[in-house]
Amino acid sequence: MSNLDRPPLEVRFQRGVHLPGPDLWLDPHDRRDSAFVSHAHSDHIGRHREIILTPATAALMQARLPGERIEHRIPFDEPFPFRGQTLTLLPAGHVLGSAQLFAQDDATGASLLYTGDFKLRPGLTAEAIAWRQADTLIMETTFGLPQFRFPPTAEVIAQMVEFCRDALAEDAVPVLFGYSLGKAQEILCALAEAGLKPMLHAAVQRMVEIYRGLRPDFPPAAAFAADAVAGHVLICPPGTSGSRVVQAIKNRRTAVLTGWAVNASAAFRYGCDAAFPLSDHADYPDLLHYVELVRPRRVLTLHGYAREFAADLRRRGIEAWALGVENQLEMVSLIAPTRRRASAAPHRAETLNPPSPESFRAFAQVGAEIARSPGKRTKVQLLAGYLGTLDDASLPLAARFLTGRIFARSEERVAQAGWAIVKRAILSVSRLSESELRQISAAHGDQAETAREALTGQTSPGPFSITDARSVFEAVGDARGPIAKAGTLAAAFRRITPEEAATLIKILSGDLRIGLKEGLLEEAIATASAATPEDVRHANMLLGDIGRTATLARHGKLASAGLTLFQPVKVMLASPEPSSEAIWQRVNPDPQLGGEVWLEDKFDGIRAQIHVGAGRVEIYSRDLRRITAEFEDLAAALRSFPGSAVFDGEIIARVAGRTLTFFDLQKRLGRTGPDLFLGDSIPVVFAAFDLLMLNGEPLLGRPLRERRAQLERVELPAALERVDVSLVRSVAQIESAFLAARERSNEGLIAKDPESIYFPGRRGLAWLKLKKEFATLDVVVVAAEWGHGKRHHVLSDVTFAVRDTGTGALLPIGKAYSGLTDAEIAELTTHFLRTTIATRGRVQEVEPAIVLEIAFDSIQASGRHASGLALRFPRIKAIRRDKTAAEIDTLAYARSLVTPENRKPRQP
């Protein structure tokens, strides 16, 4: 029988890897009758009845896990007959005594190589790795992403030694953190070779004594002594960083040695002064190289980035699947047909029958996994692995859905299906009465969860893919009228699971609520495609379509992304600074050097982007929404513009030379048609401060100085004006310019580096904004409303009031829901429920007792609230536990803040 014809050895995963033929478990976590122990790290050992291991691992394991057991201590490269198979242990290169297991069936010749943890690079303390060709390779993939590429080991050790010598030269104690078994011994040998004096934490000392018994030539080191630590390099386990042993060393320099240090933020994450990427595992290139060396017919991956690395291998034409991953997305049977032996006890294999990656069910499962995952890195892992499994048709759709978008922004279409339509569809399928559905909705406070409960047991699920979901959204968008839309949605609900229906509704609402920001999705796309996050981010900024970005990244075509007329890009943003001094320090950190700052007024208007060409004009808001219809007078004035251009700037309202506020300007938003038009009473101009394209030539990569020069040469129609630019050379001049901008009824200043290129969507330090904190108000809460999504069970949205001293009445002035911690919201919810006066639907009117300090960007007269005032962007700054309702601010004080001359920071 040829190698290609014979069936592979049977492998099962059931809370661990199991070889049914010899009834042998590989590094199991649970107690087993028979187990192979690859090495003595705590996550690979257990209290098993019978174990196979190397003599060195046996000695180390006995120290870490004493006890009676049957031990088969097998030296490297010595065949060991075991229940119908021949087992051979091969060095793994991970730590001293670490072994791989090579198993070959005596009857069929089928072979398997299990790596355990392994490393290809030679180390100072572990045996050099060896390998054999095998039909099946089961390999660990701790660092199975392209971003994990370790520098040369000699280079890392040299950096570590230099760090220690620098610390010692400053009379500080260098403290190096590495695992007590394996890493600590590598560090010790490296320090000894460099002529430094190592000192060992007690946990490290215990392991070193065993090493010394196995290797008499092992270098000496002092045991820890607090009074003798000076002049030594202390080696400690990572978990001791906060211990009294380490904290008692006042003058210390700390560094962690870990493969995760390839991440630039590792030192910060571990709370150390430095981090060095020294690892006992194979990095990504070595993982790929090992597959080439072993030449297996199939690869099964374990640990770390198992799913992602398996998908990577499949893209390279190698059959590969991940073991032990929850909600596994790949359809694969790991149970190979093979003759069962009479002596083998029956075992039940874990059934892997997941949906295909392109199914909408898989999409919903991934969303649920991401929502449960607490860390950014884990979310990126899950996403990258999932995106890598999708076909080209599903990839862009899934990427858009994950950001809560149905269509690409360039499509300029919407589904237009609110809760009234969703509710009608749910009622049609569930056969519930309106009152019954209302009770479910009140219990959840969430559309998706309401649908999930109402539709349970009422649908007949069948195949439903990501592309099917897109078709449903298109059909709902094309349907005319609420009855037709609800009917289309109900037809979809009938053929999917309640979980899929809940996910559909979340996408319709524009928010999956899984804790996923677009930046994380960009990182995942980069990981899945081996592109750099910077290239993915830049392409997405230019395209404004994460789906198209994902497709270009997969095919290595990110460089083709560019600025296109009538496809808006995200705007470049400015970082806030609190004072003129802070602005000057950012621009000119060395006071001995002369410098200059390029200043523009920061307008109280609407940030917008104008695209003009061939008689067509489109105006887009900062969120890339087309707002041309709301400002048709502005668009009309630009249609005669010769050539083509893309302008960045601000729409501002101006009457008789007086600049109006954002509150006046926002009255035009959402209004279209002559009967609703406010162009006569609220005329607008476009203040252009940047030019992104001119006559088909993109200017994003040009310095601002050049872009501004081009803008100066363009002849602008009357509706457009150029923003004035001034050069200042001192803090006093910045402060003077700020006060002058306020006198012109503007918000403050923007400071720009004239050499900066335009980075769409980025908030860096090339542009800085100075607004200064506006006055805050102390207000009292008069009502609280149940939140939505994850906050549906708490009263998170509060309405607050100021006091009219003339009548004593509390007059609402605004509503806010941001600024408090989850713990504070929970505390206030309990209080509000105890002090409720009346209930109006989802709103609880409460006794006026809780005083809040509210920050906001501006204040203006408005009929929206009983106070006659409205706040722009209100947010809760603090709970004023030191104040009572009798001490809140008055209506008169709030009115005094309306006019521009009274926009002054509040005195404490």
Side-chain angles (χ1 to χ4, degrees), residues 10 12 18 20-21 23 335-347:
E10 186 176 355
R12 301 188 181 193
H18 182 226
D23 189 17
I335 305 175
T338 186
R339 291 178 296 172
R340 298 203 60 80
R341 306 191 180 278
S343 61
H347 289 273

Side-chain angles (χ1 to χ4, degrees), residues 339-545:
R339 291 178 296 172
R340 298 203 60 80
R341 306 191 180 278
S343 61
H347 289 273
R348 183 180 63 83
E350 183 173 311
T351 301
L352 299 179
N353 188 26
S356 68
E358 286 76 24
S359 72
F360 197 69
R361 178 182 162 205
F363 177 88
Q365 287 181 347
V366 168
E369 281 190 72
I370 292 169
R372 289 193 297 266
S373 301
K376 169 185 170 181
R377 190 174 68 83
T378 305
K379 292 179 189 289
V380 171
Q381 278 182 254
L382 289 169
L383 275 173
Y386 171 63
L387 296 175
T389 66
L390 296 175
D391 60 27
D392 282 357
S394 301
L395 175 63
L397 304 182
R400 292 185 195 115
F401 293 169
L402 284 164
T403 60
R405 294 193 66 85
I406 298 172
F407 307 108
R409 289 186 175 95
S410 59
E411 293 183 79
E412 296 187 351
R413 61 184 301 186
V414 292
Q416 291 183 317
W419 172 239
I421 291 170
V422 172
K423 182 178 73 172
R424 188 189 292 262
I426 294 172
L427 288 170
S428 173
V429 178
S430 67
R431 298 190 291 275
L432 294 170
S433 67
E434 285 219 31
S435 62
E436 289 172 326
L437 184 62
R438 194 179 303 116
Q439 289 178 355
I440 296 173
S441 179
H444 290 291
D446 181 89
Q447 296 180 23
E449 292 306 313
T450 297
R452 190 195 305 271
E453 180 174 337
L455 296 175
T456 297
Q458 302 299 317
T459 68
S460 300
F464 189 72
S465 67
I466 293 172
T467 53
D468 290 334
R470 161 74 185 218
S471 297
V472 169
F473 293 137
E474 289 177 338
V476 171
D478 293 340
R480 292 292 172 261
I483 295 177
K485 287 179 180 290
T488 302
L489 199 55
F493 287 167
R494 288 189 179 94
R495 64 189 181 103
I496 61 180
T497 67
E499 289 73 23
E500 290 172 310
T503 305
L504 273 183
I505 292 169
K506 288 179 181 179
I507 297 172
L508 277 171
S509 70
D511 184 7
L512 278 181
R513 299 190 297 279
I514 57 176
L516 177 66
K517 295 183 179 179
E518 192 161 319
L520 293 186
L521 184 54
E522 290 170 339
E523 286 191 40
I525 290 171
T527 299
S529 61
T532 67
E534 291 74 20
D535 287 346
V536 173
R537 194 172 297 116
H538 183 67
N540 191 34
M541 289 172 181
L542 292 173
L543 299 172
D545 179 7

Side-chain angles (χ1 to χ4, degrees), residues 271-336:
C272 293
D273 297 310
F276 301 108
L278 185 67
S279 179
D280 293 327
H281 295 262
D283 66 355
Y284 173 78
D286 279 352
L287 291 174
L288 290 177
H289 184 47
Y290 202 57
V291 175
E292 295 174 353
L293 293 172
V294 176
R295 306 191 313 279
R297 289 166 52 192
R298 66 169 179 172
V299 178
L300 305 178
T301 58
L302 273 173
H303 310 310
Y305 295 92
R307 178 186 294 167
E308 293 84 349
F309 191 72
D312 191 338
L313 291 179
R314 289 198 299 276
R315 286 193 293 271
R316 298 169 185 268
I318 299 169
E319 181 188 348
W321 308 102
L323 288 170
V325 179
E326 291 184 6
N327 296 312
Q328 183 75 11
L329 298 180
E330 298 86 353
M331 177 71 78
V332 56
S333 173
L334 297 176
I335 305 175

